[in-house]
Amino acid sequence: MEFHVKQLLQQEGYSCVILSEDGTVFQSKKSGIAPLMDFIIKSQDKAREAADKVVGKSAALLFLKMGARRVYGEVMSEHAKKVFDARGIEYSFGKLVPYIVNRRGDGMCPMEETVLETDDAETAYCLLCEKLKEMRNKEGIQA
C-alpha cells in the first residue's frame, strides 16, 4: 500500500501531511496532535488520506473525526491500530509499538492516555480539547 502523503512526509520533512477530499494538501512541521487539531479547526473539507510521524490512539480518533480513509504512521501504537481495524480504515506503519511514549520518555503520551477509555471520535475530540487547555494553563506548553 503506497500513499502519496507518505512520500511527502518522508521526503519533505513534515510531521504531518493530509490530503483533503478536494485535493488540497495540508502539511505541518508542528509536533504532537497540533497539526490534526489545526486541520479540524481550519478545514471545511474531509480528509481523504493522511501520514503522520506518530499515530497514537488520540491521532487515530482525530483522523476518524476528519474522515480519513487511509492513514500511514512512521510509528503507530497498538491502540491506534485497533481503532483503524474496528472502523475498516486502511493503514500502514513503519513501526508498531505498544503505546506512544511521552516526550520525557518515562511513560505514556498524555494525549493517548486521555482517550484510552473511548472509541468515539467526537468524545475524544472534546477530551483532547480539554486536555490541551489544561496543559497550556498548567505548564504553558504546546501539544
Side-chain angles (χ1 to χ4, degrees):
M1 166 180 13
E2 196 61 36
F3 298 152
H4 171 68
V5 291
K6 175 184 173 184
Q7 293 170 328
L8 287 173
L9 182 83
Q10 293 174 331
Q11 294 169 0
E12 303 297 328
Y14 295 111
S15 59
C16 180
V17 179
I18 301 167
L19 177 65
S20 69
E21 285 292 333
D22 71 1
T24 303
V25 177
F26 170 88
Q27 62 241 357
S28 179
K29 292 188 177 183
K30 291 181 180 179
S31 62
I33 62 169
L36 309 182
M37 298 299 269
D38 287 349
F39 182 87
I40 290 168
I41 292 165
K42 295 175 184 174
S43 179
Q44 301 299 314
D45 205 4
K46 293 282 187 189
R48 183 183 317 160
E49 64 181 64
D52 201 307
K53 291 283 186 188
V54 180
V55 180
K57 186 172 183 181
S58 59
L61 290 167
L62 291 175
F63 284 130
L64 202 64
K65 177 175 173 50
M66 62 178 78
R69 295 187 304 265
R70 296 169 27 141
V71 177
Y72 169 77
E74 289 284 317
V75 175
M76 184 176 291
S77 76
E78 291 177 1
H79 300 289
K81 182 181 177 300
K82 287 177 187 174
V83 168
F84 296 142
D85 285 339
R87 301 295 175 90
I89 305 295
E90 190 177 345
Y91 65 89
S92 66
F93 51 82
K95 180 179 181 182
L96 185 66
V97 296
Y99 59 89
I100 302 304
V101 176
N102 65 25
R103 291 181 183 159
R104 291 183 313 274
D106 62 0
M108 184 179 285
C109 165
M111 298 303 135
E112 186 159 49
E113 194 169 33
T114 296
V115 300
L116 276 182
E117 300 302 317
T118 187
D119 290 322
D120 179 73
E122 290 300 323
T123 301
Y125 178 71
C126 292
L127 290 169
L128 292 167
C129 286
E130 285 301 311
K131 183 66 172 179
L132 288 170
K133 185 177 173 183
E134 172 191 317
M135 289 174 72
R136 286 185 182 121
N137 287 340
K138 279 186 178 178
E139 303 169 21
I141 65 168
Q142 203 172 12

